[in-house]
Amino acid sequence: MISCRGRPLTPETKKLVVSVKQYFDRNKFKPMEPSTKRTADALGIGMATVKRIMADYNHDPKLLDEPAKMRGRPVHAVSASYQGTVRAYIRSANKKGEYITLANIRGFLKENSTDEPFHIATLARTLNRWGFEFGKGTRSQHLKEKDHVIAARQRYLRKKRDNRSSGIDTIRPEVYLDETYVNKNHSNDFIWYSGEDGPWVQKPTGKGERLIIINAITKSGWVSGAKLVFKSTRKTGDYHGQMNWGLFEKWFTEMLLPNIPQNSLIIMDNAPYHNTLSAHSPPTPLCSKKKIMEWLEQNKIYCRDDCLKPELVEILKKMATEPLYAIDEIARSHGHEVIRTPPYHPELQPIETCWGVVKNHVARNCNFTMNNLIEQLDSGFDKVTAKTCVEIIEKVRKFEDEFWTEDLKTDAQESG
């Protein structure tokens, strides 16, 4: 045996593997066996290792001289796509009274995604960002959602449930809006390939140019005339950085409002440009010290000149009402109402699944050109029909019912 499990092979060992494999290719022995298996048996290594080394050699013999890459290096972020499954896992464990730790959650994630190593510290920061905290439960320590997240979810679900009629019908039409992006080189990573040739694919490196997309859906499908697609000036980073209040307001007033039913309930997330304060709004703790001081004085709440901002914020929280958002006022002036999904709950936004349908179509038909991206994007939108939206909204409604029921049970247990 020339190697031990978990240890990288040296360049010399890799060259030996190639030599032995080529020897068995030239000389046919009986009983007949694949040369890959004979090589693996002779050297005491796995067939997958032999195939990987031969794939590198066939692609470029110089690859054998490269030092082995370090394994197990933790990723620096956890994809937001795991948010829904992690939330369900934690809530289920809490319901059963199970002791749950970061190690448990990391094990759960590894079962669902073996390709990503999840570092404990990274996972802890991610859970905190998703609205979870580690604290003392009713009977044992467990991870639980932060109170402000639970409160926001309950307010949202109450509003949605009040708007229900029979089946999937609603009293007021519901409009779901969102933004996303897609890159020119967005393509499927999984392909069929020869084990000895390796998974080498001739395609551009990098993500390529990026398109930003804004659109909205109802149970009847995409809102006609509401689609906006424009080219981003950045290829990396969060697409929210390419959006701003001015652009969103223009799209909202000129492309969305004229095309949705009267008296609609408009549902959006908490992106910063969705929550731009109205000129009539009281300040929030994120506002400048000067703005907070001015608002307090206008409302005849006088403070000392040497008050620090934390002191002003403390007073503000006691005196100020809920913030007023500019987009809410615009919608109200046209006879509509805006509600926001609770933080960290993409599973409650049906349009998120619609984006997945569109992007999957783009990925399957990618040829790495911008013209093709635009063409396939239009085709991808056609894949999302009224039937698609109805099915997605029905699925999301089940999530809403589960959250509502579980929150009431949890509250009863903690109050008892």
Side-chain angles (χ1 to χ4, degrees), residues 58-106:
N58 291 334
H59 181 70
D60 184 359
K62 295 179 181 178
L63 290 176
L64 300 184
D65 294 317
E66 293 184 358
K69 295 180 180 179
M70 294 295 294
R71 295 184 179 182
R73 182 174 296 172
V75 293
H76 298 288
V78 180
S79 171
S81 62
Y82 298 113
Q83 199 172 132
T85 53
V86 169
R87 186 180 304 280
Y89 172 71
I90 292 175
R91 289 170 64 88
S92 174
N94 288 168
K95 181 181 177 183
K96 297 174 184 176
E98 296 176 351
Y99 181 73
I100 184 167
T101 65
L102 289 172
N104 299 138
I105 299 171
R106 182 170 66 172

Side-chain angles (χ1 to χ4, degrees), residues 20 38 68 80 105 140 147 173 238 249 277 320 331 363 393 399 405:
V20 173
R38 286 188 181 276
I105 299 171
S140 63
D147 288 341
D238 192 340
E249 179 195 22
L277 293 178
I393 291 171
F399 287 145
T405 303

